[in-house]
């Protein structure tokens, strides 16, 4: 069965420190992984997708099929990074469904 | 242009009542999705529309939940005989291309409707 696990509900880091938000998944086949972000009082929005291999707002995420992980990383956290982050999964086996993790609330301490 | 809009932003109702939640997708988007987000959880898929038809309603929890999209644009999620467990934020998303959400079919989310059943 498809599943996305985000083991940390809350994460606090100091400004300028590295940050890593963990995401593990369960999927048979080739998944598509995404990170979505929700800033305070804003709507859920796409941050990045693994297929693009892009860096958005300094964040990167590498799909590791061996470890079934898609951790989100940023070398130097900024206060404006404080938000709720959701890892999500799609793929041919999921049909039209899109599976979200339970989210990690990131707080960057000034 | 305008993004996905949802009305009302908040809805408080009593147990047993009927509610309707509305979603206005981005103009021209053919795919529309409904999700439910309970407290402390991520969004959970409910139903997907391709044009006017419900292509996948496997996420609807029971037959009290129903959704329509009669003209292929606006969609209404209908909940009958509401229960306290239905309290959640209901999210709508639209995509320009029909089919499953993917790297080539980005979803654009609305602000959600917070439903509280007393």
């Amino acid at each position: 069965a498809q599943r996305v696990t985000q083991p940390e509900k809350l994460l606090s880091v100091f400004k300028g420190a590295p940050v890593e938000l963990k995401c593990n998944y369960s999927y048979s086949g080739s998944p598509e992984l995404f990170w979505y972000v929700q800033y305070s009082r804003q709507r859920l929005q796409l941050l990045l997708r693994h297929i693009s291999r892009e860096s958005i707002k300094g964040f990167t995420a590498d799909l590791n099929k061996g470890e079934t992980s898609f951790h989100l990383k940023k070398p130097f956290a900024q206060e404006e990074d404080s938000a709720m982050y959701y890892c999500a999964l799609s793929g041919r086996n999921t049909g039209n469904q899109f599976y979200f993790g339970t989210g990690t609330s990131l707080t960057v301490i000034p | 242009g305008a993004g996905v809009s949802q009305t009302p932003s908040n809805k408080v109702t009593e147990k047993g009542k009927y509610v309707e939640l509305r979603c206005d997708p981005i103009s021209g988007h053919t795919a529309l999705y409904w999700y439910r987000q309970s407290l402390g959880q991520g969004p959970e898929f409910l139903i997907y529309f391709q044009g006017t038809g419900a292509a996948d309603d496997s996420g609807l929890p029971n037959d009290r939940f129903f959704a329509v999209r009669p003209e292929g644009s606006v969609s209404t999620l209908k909940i009958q005989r509401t229960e306290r467990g239905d309290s959640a934020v209901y999210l709508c998303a639209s995509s320009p291309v029909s089919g499953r959400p993917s790297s080539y079919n980005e979803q654009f989310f609305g602000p959600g409707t917070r439903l509280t059943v007393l």
Side-chain angles (χ1 to χ4, degrees):
Chain A
Q2 290 73 234
R3 188 169 62 247
V4 177
T5 303
Q6 293 180 251
E8 304 142 327
K9 275 214 170 295
L10 302 171
L11 183 63
S12 295
V13 300
F14 285 100
K15 178 182 173 182
V19 61
E20 180 180 70
L21 290 85
K22 291 184 169 51
C23 173
N24 288 88
Y25 67 89
S26 174
Y27 184 81
S28 298
S30 295
E32 293 186 58
L33 275 296
F34 306 80
W35 277 98
Y36 276 76
V37 61
Q38 187 166 26
Y39 300 103
S40 179
R41 287 185 286 278
Q42 293 188 29
R43 60 188 67 190
L44 198 59
Q45 58 186 287
L46 178 66
L47 178 62
L48 57 80
R49 61 198 103 183
H50 90 269
I51 199 168
S52 302
R53 298 181 179 275
E54 56 201 345
S55 173
I56 303 294
K57 299 184 179 182
F59 283 98
T60 58
D62 291 319
L63 178 60
N64 186 321
K65 291 188 178 181
E67 296 182 358
T68 60
S69 68
F70 188 57
H71 303 327
L72 183 67
K73 301 178 183 179
K74 184 169 182 176
F76 307 103
Q78 302 299 315
E79 290 178 64
E80 56 265 30
D81 297 329
S82 295
M84 195 73 183
Y85 291 81
Y86 294 95
C87 183
L89 175 151
S90 179
R92 294 190 183 278
N93 295 347
T94 69
N96 297 301
Q97 299 206 20
F98 200 64
Y99 292 87
F100 284 89
T102 52
T104 297
S105 176
L106 174 66
T107 300
V108 180
I109 304 165
Chain B
V4 177
S5 62
Q6 292 185 244
T7 54
S9 55
N10 279 283
K11 176 70 177 178
V12 181
T13 191
E14 294 179 342
K15 180 173 177 292
K17 299 290 188 183
Y18 168 82
V19 296
E20 289 189 353
L21 312 179
R22 176 187 167 109
C23 172
D24 276 272
I26 294 173
S27 178
H29 281 196
T30 53
L32 186 146
Y33 309 83
W34 281 99
Y35 294 85
R36 178 171 67 175
Q37 186 171 18
S38 301
L39 193 63
Q41 302 297 314
E44 175 190 18
F45 170 84
L46 294 177
I47 186 169
Y48 156 67
F49 285 92
Q50 180 174 313
T52 60
D56 185 346
D57 64 357
S58 61
L60 295 177
N62 51 60
D63 60 7
R64 295 187 297 106
F65 288 75
F66 190 71
V68 295
R69 195 186 184 199
E71 298 177 359
S73 178
V74 171
S75 177
T76 304
L77 178 65
K78 309 181 181 193
I79 311 174
Q80 298 177 319
R81 304 184 303 281
T82 53
E83 300 177 356
R84 292 195 180 88
D86 299 335
S87 297
V89 174
Y90 289 82
L91 295 170
C92 175
S94 70
S95 288
V97 178
S98 293
R100 63 177 176 83
S102 72
S103 294
Y104 308 104
N105 192 17
E106 181 179 345
Q107 297 178 92
F108 295 84
F109 281 84
T113 293
R114 181 175 298 278
L115 175 66
T116 302
V117 182
L118 301 177

